[in-house]
Amino acid sequence: MLDTVGDSLDPKDWIAFRTLAHQMLDDMLNYTQHIHTRPVWQPLPDALKATLRKPLSEKTLEQTHHEFMTMMLPYAVGNAHPRFMGWVHGGGTPVGMLAEMLAAGLNANLGGRNQAPVEVERQVMRWVRDLFQFPDTASGIFVTGTSMANFIGCLCAKTRELGISTRKEGVGDSPNLTAYTSTAAHISIAQALDMSGIGTNALRKITVNTQHEMDITQLEKAIADDKAAGKRPFLVVATAGTVDVGAIDNLDAIANLCEREKIWLHIDGAFGALAMLSSTLAPRLKGIERADSIAFDFHKWGQVPYDAGFILVRDSTLHQQAFASPAAYLQRQERGLSANSPWACDFGLDLSRSFRALKTWFTLSVYGDEKLGQVISHTCQLAQYLQAQIQSIPELELLAPVALNIVCFRYYCAGVDVNWLNTEIVIALQESGEVAPSSTTLNGCVAIRAAIVNHRTTQQDIDALLVSTMRIGAALTTSSTL
């Protein structure tokens, strides 16, 4: 007999399982509710590292959950904490967490087929399409993050320039394609050219101006020079929210140039694109509605739990041509489970896809675009507050204009290696557990980089960053001059 009692992986005692499940949920709700009382970050002790390196052994659910609570929960990166300012990581929400639980329980595969979850993703796509004022013919799908979305945008641009035949024949030995982005752009742009087979040598990195925005004059010159040399400019990647300082390229001017030169305009809006939700910030993105494709993450400013990236493409027909791969077992029908074409797998690389749309749908439905826009605006207001405080403290120096929610500054002391000093300050801040910024380098200067993304962050948290920076900076400069 093939089917015997106990073959299933479902609980044998549902009552006991429910009790423990409710406790696990309460543990996470308590963690979120009281997160401000915890250290932002602390390193995983060597003894616990050793435990996590042991061979696989079977445990009870209670034992496994205990290990999670003691070895993982206290030692995560800490981006849910209001004083995490290290990188552009969203804080997540209890609503998003519950939606992720529902999605896991449903266990839907969003590669396609005739099912309600697909319609939920399409509804979110329509909301996104309307947000960016794209036409009804636009298409879009959820992906892991903007790195993958940038790759998809690059492949769409390549398909338009070289035709769909390159999917079979490859790009050839010397297609002479050239792409353009700023020196402040994310590394995933170069990676997209690498993975697409075009190669990173095709990428022209355009200098930035004093506002850290792509220099339009230099962009125009680079395109003209390449055309004169027999090259084929096919892609410009503008940035809405650069990784180091949060600068926004002049999207409208770049759109004018791309329209004139018939070049695909892709916008890396990893976090900055969602400034469209804020009535005060949206005008800063003028021109984004003219892009051919936009990449961004709901898991950053949108506060959706990881991961929830998105790619929006103006021309759905071309988008589908770049990815659709017919297979016998994926044959479509007018009725039944194989209906409801086109499927998400016709617009991206993944056939197996999680129900990312549900936590995004819940977040947008429960909080609404106005509330999310206010959260985004508030993080920028906190950045302006931090800037003003820095400019009022003699020992602190602002290292870049504050465009959105990222503030780069340093602690300065004459007679001390300032780059060493600020590197040590950032590490000490992180190790203190009090607050966690990151560091970057601007014009040769090591900067303390505060990225204010979390909806839980308040002015008191900004003050804590300043107080801790001044205390640690003073202690380090004293010890280094003894």
PDB file of all heavy atoms in Angstrom, residues 27-28 31-32 38 42 65 67-78:
ATOM      1  N   ASP A  27       5.985  35.973  18.951  1.00  0.00           N
ATOM      2  CA  ASP A  27       7.403  36.298  19.120  1.00  0.00           C
ATOM      3  C   ASP A  27       7.847  37.358  18.111  1.00  0.00           C
ATOM      4  O   ASP A  27       8.590  38.289  18.461  1.00  0.00           O
ATOM      5  CB  ASP A  27       8.257  35.035  18.945  1.00  0.00           C
ATOM      6  CG  ASP A  27       8.177  34.104  20.146  1.00  0.00           C
ATOM      7  OD1 ASP A  27       7.762  34.568  21.229  1.00  0.00           O
ATOM      8  OD2 ASP A  27       8.517  32.914  20.001  1.00  0.00           O
ATOM      9  N   MET A  28       7.399  37.220  16.868  1.00  0.00           N
ATOM     10  CA  MET A  28       7.803  38.188  15.851  1.00  0.00           C
ATOM     11  C   MET A  28       7.109  39.535  16.045  1.00  0.00           C
ATOM     12  O   MET A  28       7.700  40.586  15.801  1.00  0.00           O
ATOM     13  CB  MET A  28       7.522  37.640  14.452  1.00  0.00           C
ATOM     14  CG  MET A  28       8.409  36.470  14.068  1.00  0.00           C
ATOM     15  SD  MET A  28      10.175  36.739  14.425  1.00  0.00           S
ATOM     16  CE  MET A  28      10.529  38.184  13.427  1.00  0.00           C
ATOM     17  N   TYR A  31       8.943  41.186  18.814  1.00  0.00           N
ATOM     18  CA  TYR A  31      10.217  41.670  18.293  1.00  0.00           C
ATOM     19  C   TYR A  31      10.029  43.017  17.597  1.00  0.00           C
ATOM     20  O   TYR A  31      10.780  43.968  17.826  1.00  0.00           O
ATOM     21  CB  TYR A  31      10.781  40.635  17.311  1.00  0.00           C
ATOM     22  CG  TYR A  31      11.938  41.128  16.474  1.00  0.00           C
ATOM     23  CD1 TYR A  31      13.212  41.227  17.007  1.00  0.00           C
ATOM     24  CD2 TYR A  31      11.749  41.480  15.135  1.00  0.00           C
ATOM     25  CE1 TYR A  31      14.284  41.671  16.237  1.00  0.00           C
ATOM     26  CE2 TYR A  31      12.803  41.925  14.352  1.00  0.00           C
ATOM     27  CZ  TYR A  31      14.070  42.020  14.907  1.00  0.00           C
ATOM     28  OH  TYR A  31      15.112  42.471  14.142  1.00  0.00           O
ATOM     29  N   THR A  32       9.005  43.110  16.755  1.00  0.00           N
ATOM     30  CA  THR A  32       8.767  44.353  16.024  1.00  0.00           C
ATOM     31  C   THR A  32       8.300  45.474  16.944  1.00  0.00           C
ATOM     32  O   THR A  32       8.768  46.612  16.848  1.00  0.00           O
ATOM     33  CB  THR A  32       7.720  44.117  14.917  1.00  0.00           C
ATOM     34  OG1 THR A  32       8.163  43.054  14.062  1.00  0.00           O
ATOM     35  CG2 THR A  32       7.515  45.369  14.080  1.00  0.00           C
ATOM     36  N   ARG A  38      16.189  47.135  21.419  1.00  0.00           N
ATOM     37  CA  ARG A  38      17.254  46.188  21.088  1.00  0.00           C
ATOM     38  C   ARG A  38      18.451  46.919  20.476  1.00  0.00           C
ATOM     39  O   ARG A  38      18.302  48.030  19.963  1.00  0.00           O
ATOM     40  CB  ARG A  38      16.750  45.154  20.078  1.00  0.00           C
ATOM     41  CG  ARG A  38      15.665  44.224  20.609  1.00  0.00           C
ATOM     42  CD  ARG A  38      15.167  43.303  19.494  1.00  0.00           C
ATOM     43  NE  ARG A  38      14.288  42.265  19.991  1.00  0.00           N
ATOM     44  CZ  ARG A  38      14.707  41.072  20.418  1.00  0.00           C
ATOM     45  NH1 ARG A  38      16.003  40.781  20.376  1.00  0.00           N
ATOM     46  NH2 ARG A  38      13.851  40.176  20.858  1.00  0.00           N
ATOM     47  N   GLN A  42      24.500  43.474  16.291  1.00  0.00           N
ATOM     48  CA  GLN A  42      25.571  42.912  17.099  1.00  0.00           C
ATOM     49  C   GLN A  42      26.118  41.685  16.371  1.00  0.00           C
ATOM     50  O   GLN A  42      25.365  40.969  15.701  1.00  0.00           O
ATOM     51  CB  GLN A  42      25.091  42.551  18.509  1.00  0.00           C
ATOM     52  CG  GLN A  42      23.864  41.664  18.554  1.00  0.00           C
ATOM     53  CD  GLN A  42      23.339  41.485  19.966  1.00  0.00           C
ATOM     54  OE1 GLN A  42      24.083  41.595  20.945  1.00  0.00           O
ATOM     55  NE2 GLN A  42      22.054  41.201  20.094  1.00  0.00           N
ATOM     56  N   HIS A  65      12.702  26.371  16.373  1.00  0.00           N
ATOM     57  CA  HIS A  65      12.290  27.743  16.640  1.00  0.00           C
ATOM     58  C   HIS A  65      13.160  28.369  17.723  1.00  0.00           C
ATOM     59  O   HIS A  65      13.532  29.556  17.626  1.00  0.00           O
ATOM     60  CB  HIS A  65      10.819  27.778  17.060  1.00  0.00           C
ATOM     61  CG  HIS A  65      10.331  29.144  17.426  1.00  0.00           C
ATOM     62  ND1 HIS A  65      10.437  30.221  16.589  1.00  0.00           N
ATOM     63  CD2 HIS A  65       9.736  29.615  18.565  1.00  0.00           C
ATOM     64  CE1 HIS A  65       9.934  31.299  17.162  1.00  0.00           C
ATOM     65  NE2 HIS A  65       9.510  30.961  18.368  1.00  0.00           N
ATOM     66  N   GLU A  67      16.260  27.746  18.283  1.00  0.00           N
ATOM     67  CA  GLU A  67      17.524  28.113  17.653  1.00  0.00           C
ATOM     68  C   GLU A  67      17.379  29.402  16.844  1.00  0.00           C
ATOM     69  O   GLU A  67      18.290  30.245  16.837  1.00  0.00           O
ATOM     70  CB  GLU A  67      18.030  26.971  16.768  1.00  0.00           C
ATOM     71  CG  GLU A  67      18.510  25.767  17.563  1.00  0.00           C
ATOM     72  CD  GLU A  67      19.297  24.793  16.713  1.00  0.00           C
ATOM     73  OE1 GLU A  67      19.400  25.008  15.484  1.00  0.00           O
ATOM     74  OE2 GLU A  67      19.825  23.812  17.276  1.00  0.00           O
ATOM     75  N   PHE A  68      16.246  29.557  16.178  1.00  0.00           N
ATOM     76  CA  PHE A  68      16.010  30.802  15.451  1.00  0.00           C
ATOM     77  C   PHE A  68      16.012  31.991  16.404  1.00  0.00           C
ATOM     78  O   PHE A  68      16.650  33.023  16.144  1.00  0.00           O
ATOM     79  CB  PHE A  68      14.675  30.738  14.699  1.00  0.00           C
ATOM     80  CG  PHE A  68      14.215  32.062  14.178  1.00  0.00           C
ATOM     81  CD1 PHE A  68      14.738  32.599  13.003  1.00  0.00           C
ATOM     82  CD2 PHE A  68      13.256  32.814  14.857  1.00  0.00           C
ATOM     83  CE1 PHE A  68      14.339  33.832  12.520  1.00  0.00           C
ATOM     84  CE2 PHE A  68      12.842  34.051  14.389  1.00  0.00           C
ATOM     85  CZ  PHE A  68      13.388  34.561  13.214  1.00  0.00           C
ATOM     86  N   MET A  69      15.300  31.869  17.514  1.00  0.00           N
ATOM     87  CA  MET A  69      15.167  32.984  18.453  1.00  0.00           C
ATOM     88  C   MET A  69      16.491  33.334  19.125  1.00  0.00           C
ATOM     89  O   MET A  69      16.739  34.501  19.439  1.00  0.00           O
ATOM     90  CB  MET A  69      14.126  32.637  19.529  1.00  0.00           C
ATOM     91  CG  MET A  69      12.696  32.520  19.001  1.00  0.00           C
ATOM     92  SD  MET A  69      12.060  34.072  18.323  1.00  0.00           S
ATOM     93  CE  MET A  69      11.980  35.088  19.798  1.00  0.00           C
ATOM     94  N   THR A  70      17.347  32.350  19.334  1.00  0.00           N
ATOM     95  CA  THR A  70      18.580  32.603  20.073  1.00  0.00           C
ATOM     96  C   THR A  70      19.788  32.844  19.175  1.00  0.00           C
ATOM     97  O   THR A  70      20.732  33.541  19.572  1.00  0.00           O
ATOM     98  CB  THR A  70      18.896  31.421  21.017  1.00  0.00           C
ATOM     99  OG1 THR A  70      18.958  30.205  20.246  1.00  0.00           O
ATOM    100  CG2 THR A  70      17.818  31.298  22.083  1.00  0.00           C
ATOM    101  N   MET A  71      19.771  32.283  17.960  1.00  0.00           N
ATOM    102  CA  MET A  71      20.965  32.362  17.119  1.00  0.00           C
ATOM    103  C   MET A  71      20.801  33.244  15.887  1.00  0.00           C
ATOM    104  O   MET A  71      21.803  33.617  15.269  1.00  0.00           O
ATOM    105  CB  MET A  71      21.380  30.961  16.659  1.00  0.00           C
ATOM    106  CG  MET A  71      21.845  30.071  17.792  1.00  0.00           C
ATOM    107  SD  MET A  71      22.683  28.581  17.191  1.00  0.00           S
ATOM    108  CE  MET A  71      21.352  27.767  16.327  1.00  0.00           C
ATOM    109  N   MET A  72      19.580  33.562  15.520  1.00  0.00           N
ATOM    110  CA  MET A  72      19.370  34.321  14.290  1.00  0.00           C
ATOM    111  C   MET A  72      18.720  35.671  14.535  1.00  0.00           C
ATOM    112  O   MET A  72      19.226  36.706  14.102  1.00  0.00           O
ATOM    113  CB  MET A  72      18.520  33.502  13.311  1.00  0.00           C
ATOM    114  CG  MET A  72      19.144  32.167  12.963  1.00  0.00           C
ATOM    115  SD  MET A  72      18.048  31.130  11.968  1.00  0.00           S
ATOM    116  CE  MET A  72      18.703  29.512  12.386  1.00  0.00           C
ATOM    117  N   LEU A  73      17.594  35.678  15.229  1.00  0.00           N
ATOM    118  CA  LEU A  73      16.852  36.925  15.415  1.00  0.00           C
ATOM    119  C   LEU A  73      17.703  38.044  16.037  1.00  0.00           C
ATOM    120  O   LEU A  73      17.662  39.172  15.559  1.00  0.00           O
ATOM    121  CB  LEU A  73      15.599  36.661  16.248  1.00  0.00           C
ATOM    122  CG  LEU A  73      14.672  37.862  16.473  1.00  0.00           C
ATOM    123  CD1 LEU A  73      13.216  37.428  16.433  1.00  0.00           C
ATOM    124  CD2 LEU A  73      14.958  38.518  17.824  1.00  0.00           C
ATOM    125  N   PRO A  74      18.531  37.780  17.058  1.00  0.00           N
ATOM    126  CA  PRO A  74      19.302  38.893  17.640  1.00  0.00           C
ATOM    127  C   PRO A  74      20.486  39.341  16.788  1.00  0.00           C
ATOM    128  O   PRO A  74      21.089  40.373  17.081  1.00  0.00           O
ATOM    129  CB  PRO A  74      19.808  38.305  18.978  1.00  0.00           C
ATOM    130  CG  PRO A  74      19.040  37.050  19.202  1.00  0.00           C
ATOM    131  CD  PRO A  74      18.707  36.537  17.836  1.00  0.00           C
ATOM    132  N   TYR A  75      20.828  38.569  15.750  1.00  0.00           N
ATOM    133  CA  TYR A  75      22.079  38.827  15.031  1.00  0.00           C
ATOM    134  C   TYR A  75      21.866  39.086  13.539  1.00  0.00           C
ATOM    135  O   TYR A  75      22.766  38.856  12.738  1.00  0.00           O
ATOM    136  CB  TYR A  75      23.036  37.648  15.244  1.00  0.00           C
ATOM    137  CG  TYR A  75      23.271  37.356  16.707  1.00  0.00           C
ATOM    138  CD1 TYR A  75      22.704  36.241  17.317  1.00  0.00           C
ATOM    139  CD2 TYR A  75      24.040  38.223  17.485  1.00  0.00           C
ATOM    140  CE1 TYR A  75      22.901  35.985  18.671  1.00  0.00           C
ATOM    141  CE2 TYR A  75      24.239  37.978  18.845  1.00  0.00           C
ATOM    142  CZ  TYR A  75      23.660  36.862  19.424  1.00  0.00           C
ATOM    143  OH  TYR A  75      23.857  36.628  20.768  1.00  0.00           O
ATOM    144  N   ALA A  76      20.696  39.568  13.175  1.00  0.00           N
ATOM    145  CA  ALA A  76      20.440  39.945  11.792  1.00  0.00           C
ATOM    146  C   ALA A  76      21.066  41.317  11.521  1.00  0.00           C
ATOM    147  O   ALA A  76      21.603  41.974  12.427  1.00  0.00           O
ATOM    148  CB  ALA A  76      18.944  39.965  11.510  1.00  0.00           C
ATOM    149  N   VAL A  77      20.962  41.780  10.264  1.00  0.00           N
ATOM    150  CA  VAL A  77      21.609  43.045   9.900  1.00  0.00           C
ATOM    151  C   VAL A  77      20.964  44.241  10.603  1.00  0.00           C
ATOM    152  O   VAL A  77      21.605  45.270  10.813  1.00  0.00           O
ATOM    153  CB  VAL A  77      21.593  43.237   8.371  1.00  0.00           C
ATOM    154  CG1 VAL A  77      20.206  43.581   7.869  1.00  0.00           C
ATOM    155  CG2 VAL A  77      22.603  44.292   7.941  1.00  0.00           C
ATOM    156  N   GLY A  78      19.694  44.116  10.985  1.00  0.00           N
ATOM    157  CA  GLY A  78      19.069  45.151  11.812  1.00  0.00           C
ATOM    158  C   GLY A  78      18.280  46.208  11.082  1.00  0.00           C
ATOM    159  O   GLY A  78      17.929  47.240  11.667  1.00  0.00           O
TER     160      GLY A  78
END
